[in-house]
Amino acid sequence: MAQTTGISWTNATWNPTVGCSKVSTGCRECYAEDLHETRLNGVHGYPVFKPWTTANAEHNVTLMPHKLRVPLTWRKPRMVFVNSMSDLFHEQISGVYIAKVFATMMVARRHTFQVLTKRPERMAAMLGDEFREIVFRRAWEMCEELDLTLTYVWPLPNVWLGVSIENRQWVGRADVLRQTPAAVRFISAEPLLGDLTDQTLCPPGSGAGCWDCGQRGMVRGPDALDLTGIDWLILGGESGSGHRPLDVQWMRDLRDAARATTIGDERPDCALFVKQLGGARPGTALEDLPEDLRIREFPR
Ligand code: SF4
């Protein structure tokens, strides 16, 4: 069964794993942590240890091998968000299992898969020649079994790889993404918690650390977000009862940065998708956005 979704930049979700642990401030209000508890615990019998700390990850991160081939059963082409309830590159998920997920994506080439991570270093380190060979072998075995033909192309043309960036502390994730082989690279700036384009200096760290990037002892903040080589930028404010405030100007600055990737009169290299403003229950329709931010493009 396809898992329908309210996420406006995709058509379906596919969770070959569930569970995760928090790695940065953008994880604080993680919706998957709450859903994990309310939907899965007791319903499907998966273990749930709150909060989603590193120490609890070995209990919370659960492989779902019975879901590995689900996309092969969907006849119509879909845009599929992979692991909306987890992070595919979590340390608890073995490279062999991740290769099985990639093998399914290789065989189910009628679909477009969107893989979003906050662990780009592990993703970049993993997606080398050895991993590719394992993926090809698994996919070939699957095609033999199902009497399907296989097309060998790497990076997989129907797999988009993305990173989440919530404030300037994490703009380096985009640099790692640029070094990762991918047909399409994207950034999800959601929840957007700070200005990613401001290059002013952080105040010298003392006690609590910089209000914007969160680091201590710094006299210079991280660089502004570099959109070179990035095909798609998603913007969204934080939602839910514990949401942190959004300054709409942060979105406008990022919109302008994405528009500045235009070469000549061509369409900008970096497509833009504005999902929602922040708030307890932000409207997700296009009309809920300020007129100048009603932009919902997809990569070329
Ligand atoms: S990485 Fe994603 S799924 Fe994991 S805790 Fe953070 S927000 Fe939640």
Side-chain angles (χ1 to χ4, degrees), residues 20-23 26-27 30 32 52 85-87 118-119:
C20 194
S21 56
K22 302 186 180 192
V23 285
C27 298
C30 175
W52 269 7
M85 294 289 294
S86 182
D87 185 330
K118 283 194 176 75
R119 295 166 170 85

